[in-house]
Every structure is written in structure tokens, then in C-alpha cells.
Amino acid sequence: MHQQLQRFRMEERNKTLGEFIIENQNAFQYSSGELSRIINSIRLAAKVVNYKVNKAGLVDIVGAAGEQNIQGEDQQKLDVYANEVFIQTLINREIVCGIASEENDDFITVAGGDNSHSNKYVVLMDPLDGSSNIDVNVSVGTIFSVFRRVTPIGTPVTIQDFLQPGTQQVAAGYVIYGTSTMLVYTTGHGVNGFTLNPAIGTFYLSHPNMKYPKDGTIYSINEGNYVHFPQGVKDYIKYCQLEEGNRPYTSRYIGSLVSDMHRNMIKGGIYIYPTSSKAPKGKLRLLYECNPMAFIAEQAGGKASNGYRRIMEIQPTELHQRVPFFCGSYNMVQKAESFMEAAK
Ligand code: AHG
Ligand code: MN
Ligand code: MN
């Protein structure tokens, strides 16, 4: 009992996500509170999905739903569920004018109850990242990205509102459903991480102002594909494995981008999903995975690139576009880029 009381007092000293959102709303010039309401909705949807993810082994929700998504991958039931929860939460609150999801072929237009199309923001998301890990009780996540629309308010959104370079993001974040559940996000003023106390359903600010160590000793890549990698990546992997200074580095690969990225941001490391002869454009999606992670990485002092140039400066040409992805501690990504350049 005494211990419980002590823990309660400790948590009460930490800010809740709700309090943090209200305090920071004023930091935005001309803020109408719309962005705060979006983050609030994501917070709510994350709690709902978290509840379901935690029960994944108990109920008949594991396994493929028997459908494939647009990329031809098996959809897991929880992908479908998480997609529904995030979309419905955003639509019901009438706070966005459009949503694009990795799980939907096309973007969704949100008209608003009065059919006014008067909201300013669009949300792009990967509702369940690392979905192949659900059946084996390994951490999964949600990734989201928020843009201001470029077409006039009052008209339905168009594809142009979604095909914006990552530099235009106004917010991005991820939820990690891990040993504990966390929501990590940025609105361009640094990165903050909040941990969920599942007993009372409240996120607490546990990781204020998250920063990548400038250097790290972890590299995360699916090395099973080694023979298919471009020469620059092969050379960089060999560099990571060389006995010299603080090398060889440690290899860590979970297979959930969110989890690999989260660990590397805390400990220092690099995540790479390159092109390969099997996936000539890479695997990860620019709009749902790479842009939001790049925004977080840069805000945390890290770096995100396609091997040659900044991810956030790439002009997207299609919703489900894939790109090679190098993301992590600044110096490590820079080093990997130098190997790519040398092997050109
Ligand atoms: P998703 O579950 O949304 O399809 O994403 C899976 C992604 C990413 O999270 C992960 O890092 C990568 O795919 C793993 O791919 P490989 O199994 O090819 O290594
Ligand atoms: Mn994903
Ligand atoms: Mn996914």
C-alpha cells in the first residue's frame, strides 16, 4: 500500500500528456487548437489499440484476416482493427479534412458534419507497424504524420494535400506497444515521450526532450538480405563489423521499425532498410513511415536519409511510394552515406 502511494506521488510530479498538450498549445502562433485536438485523438485511439494489442494472445484476433493490403502483404487482423480505430477516432471528432493510411488504397476525404470541409489538417499513418510480430508477442507500433492542407479550406481535399515533402510536417510521432506503451511525438520543438500507466489510462511525460546520442554502437538491418544489398551498404556493414576503436558494433533488429528506431534513439544507433535486388525501391513507405520518423530523428538531433539525400526533402509522387531509409545517430548516418557515395 505504502509503495503504491509512493509510486502515485512520483507519477503526480510528472506532467500528463493532457497537461502537456494544453501548455504547449500556446506555443503555436495562430493556434486554433486543432492540432492539439488531433494529438488528443491519437492519444485516445492509442489507448484503445493498446488494450487490444495486450489481449492479442487471449482472443481470436491473431492471424491474417484473409485479405492483402495494396502492397500485396497479408493483412493481420490487428492491422485492420488499428486502422479502423484511428480513422474513426479522427473522423468522429471532425478535426481533420483527410486521412491517408498504409492500409487503404486511396486517401479518405473528411467533410465534417456540416459538409464544410473547413478543417485545416490531414493525417497520414501506418496504423500498425511491425504487424508480423503480433503473433510472437513482440512490440509493434503506430506511426503518424500531420500536414496542413495546401488546397483551399472549404473544398474537398485532393491528392496534393498528401503529396507534400516531409519538411512541411507540422507534427509527427509514434506509439510503441512494448513492455510499456509509449507515445513519442514532435511538433517541431523537440521530441517528448510519454509512458502509459495502464492501470489508470494516463500517459505521463517520462522522456522529456529526447536526443539521439551523436554516435552509437548499434546497427539495425535485415542482414539476411545481404547478398541483395547495394555495394555501399555491404561496405558499411563490413565497416560496422571491423575490429577497431569502438567497433565491432552490436547488431539489433526487431523487424518493427518503431521498436528499432525507439531503441536506437535512446541508446544510439542506425537503422537501415536499403534498396535490394528483391525490393528495388526499398520497402518502407515515404509518407507513412519514413517522413514521420525522419522528422522525429531530426528533432532529436539525428539524421534521416535515403543514402544520398535528406528524406524530408523528397517530393512524393504517389501515396504508397517506397524509399530506402537510413535513420539514426547523426554521425552514423553520415558515415553510412559516405560509403554509399564512395560506391556510386
Ligand atoms: P508493416 O508491419 O507496417 O508492414 O511494417 C513492417 C516494416 C517495418 O516495421 C520493419 O522494420 C520492416 O518492415 C521489416 O521488414 P523485413 O521483414 O523485410 O526485414
Ligand atoms: Mn510499417
Ligand atoms: Mn503497417
Side-chain angles (χ1 to χ4, degrees), residues 91 96-100 106-112 115 117 122 149 155-159 161-162:
I91 290 180
V96 293
C97 51
I99 304 167
D106 212 348
F107 63 84
I108 298 167
T109 305
V110 185
N115 205 29
H117 301 279
V122 295
R149 65 183 300 175
T155 60
V157 284
T158 74
I159 186 82
D161 294 311
F162 298 94

Side-chain angles (χ1 to χ4, degrees), residues 50-118:
N50 173 65
Y51 178 71
K52 206 72 161 186
V53 166
N54 273 300
K55 292 204 309 183
L58 292 172
V59 288
D60 181 32
I61 198 150
V62 284
E67 287 172 28
Q68 290 199 327
N69 65 8
I70 191 173
Q71 283 96 9
E73 297 150 349
D74 281 334
Q75 263 190 358
Q76 305 289 307
K77 280 183 188 170
L78 262 171
D79 289 24
V80 181
Y81 179 80
N83 196 35
E84 281 294 308
V85 170
F86 276 94
I87 289 174
Q88 281 312 323
T89 308
L90 290 166
I91 290 180
N92 290 346
R93 277 162 190 74
E94 297 181 13
I95 42 179
V96 293
C97 51
I99 304 167
S101 163
E102 182 197 272
E103 298 299 331
N104 294 49
D105 297 359
D106 212 348
F107 63 84
I108 298 167
T109 305
V110 185
D114 53 0
N115 205 29
S116 63
H117 301 279
S118 59

